């Protein structure tokens, strides 16, 4: 029997891919040949010599010691694109929340206790905001999610600019021909009313939204981050919100510094929190493990 350890609750759409006559799958598995994980931190874990592979049911692998695994010959898989639609839909919602003070308006309406209809008509002007139609959106990173966001925003009537120096041919086929090609990230910063980030967190991208880059943006820019929290320097971003350079910041990566700050909409990491995304990621991760363990094939490895 081949042992597969689950470090998080993994959708049965994935675990049922394993033939029970060949695989033993569960959270209490000892000495596993493979691990399936979502968000559990693995950097301090000790891996046995029998461990051959780790599959992350999601795209990001920051919770996995990728280099350590490579040194030990452990293949690390991820599932790019499996949760793309879920993240895309939340990003589209964020565009609207960044423009119209929907969140603030709902909270205010919920605080009313009497003469509600009259109070609403009197106070609703405090929550007005611009329409997104005709505005310029800059999409940084045209992977599975970025492309879907760009195409959806174009469908909503936005003028969309995309930037990705590593755009693959396959990805380009899925990108609407109506999307403008930005030659540099500086063009995105200088020209766009809205900026959404869809790149991995690396040493090069960490803190890419900072005081220097924000200074080159349009006054009143609205920034969305549904990729990784550390892509944005929170201190610099909060300063820009306070002085009005940035009108709104919507992020799926909440932390202490972003709580209860005017202009910040902090979402509790809900981008891939849909049953469809969880099923897709788990199923894709399981198939990657099976193909590797049974056939030696490596698909979507981030380290080997």
């Amino acid at each position: 029997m081949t042992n597969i350890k689950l470090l998080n609750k993994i959708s049965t759409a994935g675990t049922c891919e394993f033939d029970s006559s060949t695989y033993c799958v569960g959270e209490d598995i000892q000495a596993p040949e493979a691990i399936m994980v979502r968000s559990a931190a693995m950097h301090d874990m000790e891996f046995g010599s029998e461990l051959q592979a780790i599959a992350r049911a999601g795209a990001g692998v920051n919770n996995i010691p990728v280099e350590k695994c490579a040194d030990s010959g452990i293949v690390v898989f991820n599932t790019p694109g499996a949760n793309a639609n879920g993240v895309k839909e939340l990003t589209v919602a964020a565009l609207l929340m960044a423009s119209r003070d929907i969140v603030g308006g709902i909270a205010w309406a919920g605080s009313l206790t009497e003469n509600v209809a009259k109070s609403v008509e009197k106070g609703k002007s405090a929550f007005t905001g611009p329409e997104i139609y005709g505005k310029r959106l800059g999409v940084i990173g045209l992977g599975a999610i970025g492309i879907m966001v760009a195409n959806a925003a174009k469908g909503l009537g936005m003028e969309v600019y995309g930037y990705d120096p590593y755009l693959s041919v396959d990805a380009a086929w899925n990108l609407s021909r109506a999307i403008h090609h930005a030659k540099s990230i500086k063009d995105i910063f200088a020209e766009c009313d809205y900026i959404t980030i869809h790149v991995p967190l690396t040493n090069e991208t960490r803190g890419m939204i900072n005081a220097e880059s924000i200074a080159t943006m349009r006054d009143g820019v609205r920034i969305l981050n549904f990729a990784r929290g550390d892509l944005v320097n929170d201190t610099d971003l909060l300063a820009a919100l306070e002085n009005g350079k940035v009108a709104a910041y919507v992020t799926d990566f909440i932390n202490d510094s972003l709580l209860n700050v005017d202009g910040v909409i902090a979402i509790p990491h809900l981008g891939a929190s849909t049953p469809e995304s969880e099923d897709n990621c788990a199923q894709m991760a399981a198939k990657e493990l099976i193909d590797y363990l049974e056939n030696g094939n490596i698909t979507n490895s981030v380290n080997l």
Side-chain angles (χ1 to χ4, degrees):
M1 295 288 284
T2 300
N3 295 320
I4 310 294
K5 184 176 181 64
L6 308 179
L7 289 187
N8 297 102
K9 182 180 178 181
I10 304 294
S11 168
T12 55
T15 56
C16 72
E17 292 287 334
F18 296 101
D19 186 336
S20 60
S21 65
T22 305
Y23 296 93
C24 183
V25 182
E27 296 183 5
D28 57 351
I29 296 294
Q30 302 298 317
E33 279 82 19
I35 293 174
M36 293 185 73
V37 61
R38 290 177 62 197
S39 59
M42 301 183 68
H43 286 276
D44 295 330
M45 290 182 62
E46 293 296 328
F47 302 136
S49 59
E50 62 283 327
L51 184 64
Q52 301 176 45
I54 298 170
R56 159 84 162 96
V61 291
N62 303 87
N63 58 318
I64 302 172
V66 175
E67 292 185 8
K68 171 184 173 182
C69 290
D71 292 340
S72 301
I74 300 168
V75 185
V76 178
F77 297 98
N78 69 344
T79 57
N83 60 12
N85 188 68
V87 179
K88 177 263 290 184
E89 289 187 359
L90 191 60
T91 304
V92 171
L95 280 170
L96 300 171
M97 290 189 289
S99 292
R100 315 278 291 274
D101 191 3
I102 299 167
V103 173
I106 292 172
W108 172 73
S111 71
L112 301 176
T113 57
E114 57 184 21
N115 297 321
V116 174
K118 185 176 292 186
S119 297
V120 164
E121 290 306 313
K122 184 178 180 180
K124 66 181 183 181
S125 62
F127 306 100
T128 58
E131 299 178 14
I132 64 173
Y133 185 88
K135 303 302 190 303
R136 292 184 174 187
L137 170 67
V139 181
I140 301 174
L142 294 170
I145 297 170
I147 285 176
M148 294 179 77
V149 170
N151 291 344
K154 182 61 183 177
L156 291 171
M158 301 190 80
E159 187 175 351
V160 183
Y161 293 77
Y163 173 74
D164 191 334
Y166 307 108
L167 180 65
S168 69
V169 173
D170 287 342
W173 278 108
N174 294 317
L175 188 65
S176 167
R177 62 187 297 177
I179 308 302
H180 301 290
H181 172 225
K183 294 182 179 180
S184 76
I185 198 169
K186 292 181 180 179
D187 293 339
I188 296 286
F189 293 154
E191 300 296 331
C192 295
D193 307 297
Y194 300 75
I195 295 172
T196 182
I197 316 165
H198 300 284
V199 298
L201 179 64
T202 66
N203 291 333
E204 290 72 31
T205 61
R206 186 181 300 274
M208 64 186 296
I209 304 300
N210 53 41
E212 182 179 356
S213 60
I214 291 171
T216 67
M217 298 178 188
R218 287 188 167 192
D219 292 343
V221 65
R222 299 165 196 268
I223 300 173
L224 283 59
N225 180 10
F226 287 81
R228 283 291 178 266
D230 286 342
L231 294 169
V232 175
N233 182 305
D234 289 340
T235 301
D236 293 350
L237 189 284
L238 292 174
L241 279 168
E242 187 173 358
N243 65 33
K245 180 69 175 182
V246 174
Y249 177 51
V250 189
T251 179
D252 206 22
F253 305 97
I254 195 168
N255 61 52
D256 293 350
S257 67
L258 299 176
L259 286 175
N260 303 314
V261 176
D262 288 342
V264 174
I265 299 174
I267 300 171
H269 205 183
L270 299 181
S273 293
T274 69
E276 294 86 354
S277 288
E278 292 179 9
D279 287 353
N280 291 342
C281 288
Q283 192 171 49
M284 186 173 178
K287 289 180 177 180
E288 290 168 348
L289 287 180
I290 292 169
D291 196 23
Y292 176 64
L293 294 171
E294 295 183 6
N295 306 311
N297 295 328
I298 296 178
T299 306
N300 295 322
S301 170
V302 299
N303 69 337
L304 292 176

